[in-house]
Amino acid sequence: MKNTPEKSKYHHGDLRTTLLHVAGEMLKESGIEEVSLRKLAARVGVSRTAPYHHFKDKNALLCGIAEAGFKQLHAMNNRSFNAEGRSTKEKFSLFIHEYVNFAKSNPDLYELMFGRTIWKQENSTQELRAAAYPCFQYQVTMTREWQKLKLLNHSGEDNALRASQVLWGTVHGIAKLLIDGIYTDVAHVEEICDYAVDMFLVH
Amino acid sequence: MKNTPEKSKYHHGDLRTTLLHVAGEMLKESGIEEVSLRKLAARVGVSRTAPYHHFKDKNALLCGIAEAGFKQLHAMNNRSFNAEGRSTKEKFSLFIHEYVNFAKSNPDLYELMFGRTIWKQENSTQELRAAAYPCFQYQVTMTREWQKLKLLNHSGEDNALRASQVLWGTVHGIAKLLIDGIYTDVAHVEEICDYAVDMFLVH
DNA sequence: AATCAATCTTGACACTGTCTAATTTAACCT
DNA sequence: AGGTTAAATTAGACAGTGTCAAGATTGATT
């Protein structure tokens, strides 16, 4: 029961968003290495070179997918940090669990978002950076709050940037080791996250 | 001034190790995406399909390179943990700095060693696992010692496996964010590592 | 000296990303 | 309305990739 006429049209009408959407599906289904422009075009029902009028590169397409991912991640972090009816410690714990579970639920998307493919050697699109950097910055903002509330174990002067780099490194590292298949026990994610929270909190 | 005769010979003699060696060079020079079997073969001076008599796959070749990397990393960790004339805290700090700097000095090798390419979907060779798992285990062993010495901040029961997963996650995450070009300030590695050490130690 | 297995080579196939030039359509401006 | 222009899409082509199959060459073994 499609509500679109589907008349055979030369101009697709909304190819750009369709490409992003279908490419996202392919990524979720079978991983990054199965996403090829040609298969994507075939699946959308368009010629191989059509995507090039909407994306400069395959890289630009990938940046577009990652861009949406960062917006999603940013929104999720926001929800964790501002969860109602929870103590600050609980919200800190929630952030860590949610972050790692985001990666666990969307392994290939996460891989793409943080992989060197789109970040190394000036590959990142301006739009991608515009979505990613605020997301990074938000981690610093959260960390600064946690430091003000004397939540985090440390000695010496507070430094929100450094602390957030360490915290972010930790969740990122745990996520990566999980989804790259190096931790064999994916079942114990929550326990690992709990232990991480415990190691960072002041006692 | 070569000391090998270099007579044109049909049989190379030691092609397997030569392939591993040259492939490692190519990896270091221009990154993983520039390592192709055909370019490798050309550089070694051999036909495109010759490598297939020594490695089942391109994947098997990559596993071979990573294998050597893990042995190197394992040896380095060992040196850090047993550094003479240093306090336990200093050795803990040394481990973190050395680990991250290993990744920083060999970004493409590290990327390969921990990338999903060789770990996902049963891609890992038995020889690779035989080199990597002891390396992983050693991190648990070190962590157990640090816990016994009451070095690490935490509450509740000690769990060496969980703690090492968190610690390893942290160094891995910091390393990854660095070499993937997501942290822009590669210059501040040591400061980040120092801050990580500070956050994990009991005060 | 003959045999055999290991080693290496050429040829071929199906993929990939991307460039160029031609074709079709929609939009816009008298 | 009609004609021009720009956007969107197309087929064709090229260089590159991993890898399979079948044949050629060699060193080692009997």
Side-chain angles (χ1 to χ4, degrees):
Chain A
M1 273 215 228
K2 305 191 176 183
N3 49 7
T4 46
E6 291 280 346
K7 51 188 163 191
S8 78
K9 48 201 166 186
Y10 191 89
H11 283 69
H12 183 282
D14 200 7
L15 186 54
R16 199 194 133 93
T17 56
T18 306
L19 285 171
L20 277 177
H21 183 244
V22 175
E25 279 181 358
M26 292 174 70
L27 182 69
K28 197 153 202 164
E29 285 169 17
S30 18
I32 182 76
E33 56 275 351
E34 287 299 311
V35 176
S36 88
L37 283 188
R38 297 170 102 107
K39 268 187 282 189
L40 171 61
R43 187 145 149 185
V44 172
V46 92
S47 89
R48 300 136 249 151
T49 52
Y52 282 88
H53 297 266
H54 301 273
F55 299 96
K56 174 181 158 281
D57 256 343
K58 178 180 188 181
N59 182 68
L61 208 200
L62 297 180
C63 283
I65 303 174
E67 190 187 332
F70 275 111
K71 285 172 184 165
Q72 202 183 335
L73 181 61
H74 193 155
M76 201 196 70
N77 284 345
N78 217 323
R79 277 199 304 277
S80 299
F81 189 68
N82 296 308
E84 290 183 24
R86 309 217 188 191
S87 72
T88 319
K89 282 191 184 183
E90 284 171 340
K91 286 191 276 189
F92 175 69
S93 173
L94 186 66
F95 160 73
I96 297 208
H97 279 84
E98 290 279 88
Y99 188 102
V100 175
N101 273 307
F102 174 83
K104 187 185 157 195
S105 307
N106 312 285
D108 295 286
L109 174 60
Y110 190 88
E111 193 83 18
L112 173 64
M113 288 165 63
F114 291 96
R116 74 173 0 186
T117 320
I118 57 176
W119 287 107
K120 259 294 166 180
Q121 51 200 172
E122 304 295 337
N123 274 359
S124 60
T125 314
Q126 191 170 356
E127 293 87 22
L128 172 62
R129 274 176 266 132
Y133 288 167
C135 187
F136 301 166
Q137 271 309 114
Y138 191 65
Q139 313 238 30
V140 184
T141 307
M142 291 190 291
T143 305
R144 199 186 329 273
E145 281 304 309
W146 292 327
Q147 284 186 326
K148 277 186 192 160
L149 295 164
K150 306 288 177 195
L151 220 66
L152 303 177
N153 176 67
H154 80 299
S155 82
E157 199 95 10
D158 273 345
N159 186 328
L161 176 60
R162 295 279 169 262
S164 84
Q165 285 170 328
V166 174
L167 284 178
W168 183 23
T170 304
V171 286
H172 180 63
I174 292 175
K176 273 288 206 180
L177 290 173
L178 273 176
I179 67 184
D180 288 342
I182 297 173
Y183 283 167
T184 44
D185 54 348
V186 191
H188 300 142
V189 197
E190 311 301 338
E191 295 180 33
I192 297 174
C193 288
D194 279 332
Y195 211 96
V197 171
D198 186 65
M199 290 181 81
F200 280 118
L201 289 181
V202 165
H203 296 114
Chain B
M1 271 214 230
K2 306 191 179 184
N3 49 6
T4 46
E6 290 280 346
K7 51 186 161 190
S8 77
K9 48 199 166 185
Y10 192 87
H11 283 71
H12 183 282
D14 201 6
L15 185 53
R16 199 195 133 92
T17 56
T18 306
L19 285 172
L20 277 176
H21 182 244
V22 174
E25 278 180 1
M26 292 174 71
L27 183 69
K28 195 153 204 164
E29 285 170 16
S30 18
I32 183 76
E33 57 274 353
E34 288 298 312
V35 176
S36 87
L37 283 188
R38 296 171 102 109
K39 268 187 282 190
L40 172 60
R43 185 142 149 188
V44 172
V46 94
S47 90
R48 302 135 248 152
T49 53
Y52 282 87
H53 294 91
H54 301 273
F55 299 96
K56 174 183 159 280
D57 258 338
K58 180 182 187 181
N59 182 69
L61 208 199
L62 296 180
C63 283
I65 302 174
E67 190 187 330
F70 275 110
K71 286 172 184 165
Q72 202 184 334
L73 181 60
H74 194 154
M76 201 197 69
N77 285 343
N78 216 322
R79 276 199 303 279
S80 300
F81 189 69
N82 297 307
E84 289 182 24
R86 308 218 189 191
S87 73
T88 318
K89 283 190 183 183
E90 285 171 339
K91 286 191 276 190
F92 175 70
S93 173
L94 186 66
F95 160 73
I96 296 206
H97 279 83
E98 290 280 88
Y99 188 102
V100 174
N101 273 307
F102 173 83
K104 187 185 158 194
S105 308
N106 312 284
D108 296 286
L109 175 59
Y110 191 88
E111 193 83 17
L112 173 64
M113 286 165 63
F114 291 96
R116 75 173 359 189
T117 320
I118 58 175
W119 287 106
K120 260 293 167 182
Q121 51 198 175
E122 305 295 337
N123 274 358
S124 59
T125 313
Q126 191 171 357
E127 293 87 24
L128 172 62
R129 274 175 267 135
Y133 287 167
C135 187
F136 301 167
Q137 272 308 114
Y138 191 65
Q139 313 238 30
V140 185
T141 306
M142 290 190 291
T143 306
R144 199 188 327 272
E145 281 304 310
W146 292 328
Q147 284 187 326
K148 277 187 192 160
L149 295 165
K150 306 285 177 197
L151 220 67
L152 303 176
N153 176 67
H154 80 301
S155 81
E157 199 95 8
D158 273 347
N159 186 328
L161 175 59
R162 295 281 168 261
S164 83
Q165 284 170 328
V166 174
L167 284 177
W168 184 23
T170 303
V171 286
H172 179 63
I174 292 174
K176 273 287 206 179
L177 291 173
L178 273 176
I179 66 183
D180 288 343
I182 297 174
Y183 284 166
T184 43
D185 54 346
V186 191
H188 300 143
V189 198
E190 311 301 337
E191 295 180 34
I192 297 174
C193 287
D194 279 334
Y195 211 94
V197 170
D198 185 66
M199 290 181 81
F200 280 118
L201 288 181
V202 165
H203 296 115

